[in-house]
Amino acid sequence: MAFSNEYYEHLSLEELVQDDFFITSVKQPNEKTKTFWAGFVLQYPQRKNDVDAAMQFVKSLEFEQDVAEQGVKEKLWQAITAQAATEPKVVSMINRKRWMWAAAAIIGVLFVSAAWLLIQKSSFTTFTAQYGEVKQLVLPDQSVVTLNANSELEFKKQWKEGEVREVWLTGEAFFDVKHLHQEGNLVKESDRFLVHVGDMTVEVLGTSFNVSARKAETKVVLQTGKVRVDFKNKKSESMLMEPGDLVKYNQSTKQVVKEKTDTISTVAWKKKELMLNNTSVQDIINSIENNFGYKVEVADPAILTRKLAITGNTATISLENEQTLFEILEVSLNVEITKSNDTLYIK
Amino acid sequence: MDSNGFHNKDEQELWRSFVSGNDQSLETLYRRYFDELYNYGNKWLNNPSLTQDSIQDLFVKLMRNRSNLTIPDSVKYYLLRSFRSIVLDKLKVNDRMKLMDEPKEHMFQVELCPEEQMIGQEEDKRLQKQLTEAIQQLTPRQREAVFLKYQEGLSYPEIAEMLALSQKATYKLVARAIQTLRTITDSATLIIAFFLYT
């Protein structure tokens, strides 16, 4: 890592600017580098001007980022896996048409201005699960997130040591957060893990839990460990949760409800299953809307309050295949389900 | 910054798992490096669709050749280096099609970020502006070396290997670039860059 103070005493400004440890100190300062350089200029006050100048110089060498259009990252990965699965073939470049270059040039110009706006965003990674997909990802700190269908998780690309870990969620996800602290005591900023979702922030104290923000309701279900929920709305007080707790926040009424729940059925979606445990048809429909992206219309609203369970036991329906799910519903509810574009009609 | 940072072990683990058949590990790396690769590739190609093609080629190639892959010391460096050769191939094909109607100096074009959150803004803006002009006066090779050093944080040995230079020559290349930049920006007034200590 760092050389001694004596080593840096004799470096010229130019040499300083090129020194690996110095560059790191400017681009990714941490407690160690700050202490080192503060100590250095105390010991060699005559070098302070050079250090300052070198620092300013390196700091200014910050290049503009070229950023891909939104969604490209997702689509390209799908294209990659699809292409890798097929036999290699030779694609002739001659087939490309010249006008494409013109289009590319115009896009290029737009990018220069768009890049500016996106600089902030470019340091973030977005992870999306489409309708009908459940995805698992490992965060830079090794925490594991299972992302339910129609959900998106954003986080900073680079997680620096010593910084609070933060993610932003829309939709639903299950978090298995890696402990960084030993005894359950938070001592450092880096021990903290925050999930920002809807109007609340869930602060994790080393734990696994489920968070969802669908429509107007944000729900947190805690499986193990301990979390604290803070609300943007200052009137609602922060809440500490125990395993098995469900905290519901209604974004329109701003009401907070805390109750006990069955954590297993809450996270059944992780296995692409829908668990029926005296579940109302309304809940099943919500799940279909969230997981497959249909709009569901019901001819007879009376069925919405009916509950499904199979002779006292809980039953699971696979969400893997929507057709099977619809057939099961048709039989058990004695209805007919028809599809038209993105709408599902239940009669 | 340093390509041998704390990600390294974890990335070698991901790589190992990918080589032994787990596509999800490669996907994690893809997601981690997409923006960086895109940015670097587009600096060469200045063409979003060609840049995307290059990223696609890189990862398809990795997946198809996985059984022949070894575990690199730095996954990031390995990706950047493999990607660079794909990008340069694309550039050649592209140039043949464009009948070389663009001068070579326009390759590897970089711009500096508009710096918005600095203290003592006037001086800083001036330095930034001078640097932006100065960077255009570097040779494309110098520009790329400076980019790899200050943006990607590669080590001198890594840059040397990538640009097929000796380490000494690489250090000199960066040194000359820095000298050029310093001479041009020398008149900029210095301010106290307090963020290093506080």
Side-chain angles (χ1 to χ4, degrees), chain A residues 4-166:
Chain A
S4 61
N5 284 10
E6 291 75 38
Y7 172 81
Y8 284 103
E9 186 198 351
H10 301 294
L11 285 196
S12 69
L13 205 165
E14 269 79 13
E15 286 167 325
L16 211 49
V17 162
Q18 283 188 74
D19 181 79
D20 278 338
F21 175 66
F22 185 79
I23 297 173
T24 313
S25 307
V26 178
K27 298 268 179 177
Q28 299 191 322
N30 58 39
E31 285 315 310
K32 257 188 227 155
T33 65
K34 284 173 187 166
T35 313
F36 178 87
W37 291 107
F40 180 81
V41 294
L42 268 182
Q43 195 178 347
Y44 305 105
Q46 74 277 15
R47 299 305 318 273
K48 188 170 185 307
N49 277 351
D50 275 355
V51 171
D52 285 346
M55 205 182 309
Q56 191 190 13
F57 186 85
V58 172
K59 180 87 175 155
S60 303
L61 276 175
E62 183 79 40
F63 296 95
E64 192 158 14
Q65 293 265 343
D66 293 358
V67 182
E69 263 180 296
Q70 227 175 358
V72 163
K73 195 167 163 182
E74 279 307 318
K75 278 186 218 138
L76 200 62
W77 180 253
Q78 285 162 16
I80 288 165
T81 45
Q83 195 192 338
T86 61
E87 285 302 301
K89 64 180 178 199
V90 181
V91 180
S92 164
M93 293 294 291
I94 315 292
N95 289 339
R96 289 176 180 275
K97 294 192 177 106
R98 269 193 97 92
W99 60 262
M100 277 188 64
W101 302 131
I106 292 165
I107 291 167
V109 172
L110 290 177
F111 263 141
V112 174
S113 38
W116 214 113
L117 296 167
L118 285 169
I119 284 163
Q120 291 259 316
K121 210 162 161 84
S122 73
S123 55
F124 280 81
T125 300
T126 310
F127 202 87
T128 314
Q130 310 289 344
Y131 284 115
E133 271 185 334
V134 171
K135 284 191 173 175
Q136 206 167 51
L137 69 147
V138 180
L139 294 176
D141 70 334
Q142 302 292 305
S143 295
V144 179
V145 181
T146 313
L147 202 57
N148 199 357
N150 179 26
S151 302
E152 198 171 87
L153 189 74
E154 264 191 297
F155 50 89
K156 265 199 197 160
K157 259 195 313 199
Q158 297 205 331
W159 291 25
K160 291 172 192 156
E161 278 173 294
E163 266 185 13
V164 185
R165 299 169 285 168
E166 275 179 296

Side-chain angles (χ1 to χ4, degrees), chain A residues 293-309:
Chain A
Y294 291 112
K295 199 177 161 320
V296 179
E297 294 206 1
V298 183
D300 175 16
I303 67 161
L304 292 177
T305 51
R306 282 180 59 187
K307 295 198 169 166
L308 282 188

